């Protein structure tokens, strides 16, 4: 197995922790999702062949990177700008970018802002280009002007509490370990490095400036709207929207790879309050439709392809939200194909 090295890199914005396989080769940069860290990429890094230089970064407020506050009014740009500064500090002009879940949104925002710096883009079960929650239709129409149904107020308070307590068990269905086993991967799979992944989840900084963020009241169902600070608010559709990728130039190749049984990023997401309302799990549901997350991503990527970009969608059967962990061989094969395109 390839040896991994972890170090901290100081940039003009903050000091970021990275894990890498070396300093030579064509750079491939991996960006993790919400409530996780670069640890979720470690097995992927070790499997990448020698011609490539694998680098996984901890986003601000996760892992070993500085816990600077997140300005949610900028969408995911705090994270994307951090990534740009990291590449500059590492003297990397162009890189292949791989983003999982929220990290998919981060690398998509980076692509939108710096298209010439991206060799290829791989999206692994990515957040919708219209954010998470609060929209309907393939075109990402807001359910309410204030983004009701998205943002910091949508987090389960018991999950946040158990994160704060550093819970390592699974007595509660909302403990980090239980959520990992039930939602990050498709049951009954238990990941080989489960303890390391739980530890990574527990590095998540908590509070209004971090996870989940602040929130406001709303007159629209379900009565909560996004605030301006923290992680879940930077994913709110009033702050994050990258549906104009077809306008960028140049257009690097894009791989969209996902688990078919993902319960987090889905057209029927178990984390979307509108879908939960339809199931009777959130009181007072008024008929607000669920967010069609996959249809929204497909629409944006179809427009990208129609404008001259190359897009490949790979749906992996019997896999959930962490397809790179659940089906490493299939993931690795698809990744190498886009890296060599």
């Amino acid at each position: 197995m390839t040896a991994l090295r972890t170090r901290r890199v100081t940039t003009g914005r903050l000091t970021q922790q990275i894990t890498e396989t070396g300093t030579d080769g064509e750079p491939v940069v991996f960006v993790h999702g919400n409530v996780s860290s670069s640890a979720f990429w470690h097995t992927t890094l070790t499997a990448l062949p020698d011609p490539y230089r694998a680098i996984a970064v901890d986003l601000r407020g996760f892992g070993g990177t500085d816990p600077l506050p997140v300005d949610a009014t900028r969408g995911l740009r705090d994270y994307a700008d951090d990534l740009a500064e990291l590449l500059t500090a590492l003297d990397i002009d162009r890189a292949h970018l791989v983003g999982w879940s929220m990290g998919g949104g981060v690398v998509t925002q980076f692509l939108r802002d710096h298209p010439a710096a991206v060799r290829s883009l791989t999206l692994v079960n990515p957040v919708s280009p219209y954010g998470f929650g609060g929209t309907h239709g393939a075109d990402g129409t807001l359910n309410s002007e204030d983004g009701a149904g998205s943002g910091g107020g949508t987090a389960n308070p018991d999950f946040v509490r158990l994160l704060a307590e550093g819970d390592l068990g699974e007595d509660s269905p909302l403990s980090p370990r239980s959520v990992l086993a039930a939602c990050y991967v498709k049951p009954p799979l238990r990941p080989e490095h489960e303890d390391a992944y739980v530890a990574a989840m527990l590095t998540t900084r908590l509070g209004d400036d971090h996870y989940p963020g602040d929130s406001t009241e709303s007159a629209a169902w379900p009565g909560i709207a996004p605030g301006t600070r923290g992680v879940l608010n930077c994913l709110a559709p009033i702050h994050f929207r990258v549906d104009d990728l077809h306008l960028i130039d140049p257009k690097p190749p894009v791989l969209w790879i996902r688990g078919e049984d993902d319960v987090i990023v889905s057209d029927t997401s178990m984390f979307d309050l509108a879908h939960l309302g339809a199931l009777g799990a959130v009181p007072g549901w008024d008929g607000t439709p669920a967010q069609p997350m996959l249809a929204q991503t497909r629409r944006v990527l179809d427009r990208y392809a129609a404008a001259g970009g190359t897009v490949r969608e790979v749906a992996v059967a019997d896999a959930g939200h962490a397809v790179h962990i659940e089906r490493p061989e299939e993931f690795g094969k698809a990744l190498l194909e886009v890296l060599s395109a």
Side-chain angles (χ1 to χ4, degrees):
M1 299 290 284
T2 304
L4 298 180
R5 178 176 71 147
T6 296
R7 62 186 174 109
R8 284 166 58 80
V9 179
T10 298
T11 74
R13 291 172 60 83
L14 77 170
T15 297
Q16 304 178 60
Q17 182 164 292
I18 65 170
T19 299
E20 58 189 343
T21 57
T23 57
D24 298 319
E26 203 167 283
V28 185
V29 180
F30 296 83
V31 182
H32 65 82
N34 194 12
V35 192
S36 63
S37 80
S38 61
F40 279 80
W41 288 118
H42 286 183
T43 56
T44 303
L45 267 60
T46 60
L48 205 64
D50 289 340
Y52 299 102
R53 173 188 179 187
I55 304 165
V57 60
D58 289 337
L59 297 174
R60 65 167 62 193
F62 300 95
T65 289
D66 289 351
L68 268 62
V70 178
D71 179 358
T73 65
R74 305 186 70 235
L76 289 170
R77 274 200 169 95
D78 271 356
Y79 300 116
D81 289 352
D82 291 346
L83 180 58
E85 288 283 331
L86 175 66
L87 296 186
T88 297
L90 296 175
D91 198 26
I92 295 173
D93 295 325
R94 296 181 69 220
H96 300 278
L97 299 183
V98 184
W100 168 48
S101 193
M102 183 179 80
V106 173
V107 297
T108 302
Q109 184 67 66
F110 184 97
L111 172 65
R112 182 65 187 86
D113 296 340
H114 310 280
V118 182
R119 293 179 181 268
S120 70
L121 188 79
T122 296
L123 304 174
V124 187
N125 298 78
V127 65
S128 163
Y130 300 100
F132 199 97
T135 66
H136 65 273
D139 61 351
T141 301
L142 288 172
N143 295 336
S144 173
E145 289 185 0
D146 62 0
S150 67
T154 65
N156 189 296
D158 287 329
F159 176 60
V160 176
R161 174 181 58 80
L162 291 168
L163 281 174
E165 293 174 359
D167 189 284
L168 293 171
E170 50 188 319
D171 292 338
S172 167
L174 293 168
S175 71
R177 189 179 299 274
S178 296
V179 171
L180 171 71
C183 303
Y184 283 35
V185 299
K186 180 184 177 181
L189 175 70
R190 300 299 292 252
E192 179 183 357
H193 303 290
E194 180 175 288
D195 287 347
Y197 299 145
V198 173
M201 295 171 73
L202 292 174
T203 68
T204 303
R205 306 319 196 276
L206 304 174
D208 287 349
D209 284 323
H210 303 289
Y211 180 84
D214 62 347
S215 64
T216 61
E217 294 183 357
S218 175
W221 185 89
I224 49 174
T228 60
R229 302 151 58 196
V231 177
L232 293 187
N233 293 311
C234 71
L235 294 170
I238 60 171
H239 299 316
F240 174 69
R241 181 171 289 243
V242 284
D243 61 346
D244 58 354
L245 291 182
H246 58 288
L247 300 178
I248 68 169
D249 183 53
K251 293 181 174 65
V254 175
L255 167 65
W256 174 24
I257 183 167
R258 59 183 179 83
E260 287 188 343
D261 298 315
D262 188 355
V263 299
I264 297 178
V265 175
S266 165
D267 287 350
T268 52
S269 170
M270 297 304 293
F271 290 72
D272 176 12
L273 295 190
H275 178 61
L276 292 175
L279 296 178
V282 178
W285 181 61
D286 63 354
T288 297
Q291 179 186 6
M293 301 178 187
L294 302 183
Q296 291 175 349
T297 296
R298 190 170 291 112
R299 175 181 184 270
V300 170
L301 294 182
D302 283 350
R303 293 172 72 188
Y304 184 84
T310 300
V311 176
R312 181 187 180 203
E313 178 182 349
V314 177
V316 180
D318 202 32
H321 189 59
V323 65
H324 57 294
I325 291 172
E326 300 169 84
R327 296 289 182 272
E329 295 83 6
E330 291 166 78
F331 173 76
K333 180 176 183 292
L335 177 62
L336 287 176
E337 288 174 359
V338 74
L339 295 182
S340 61

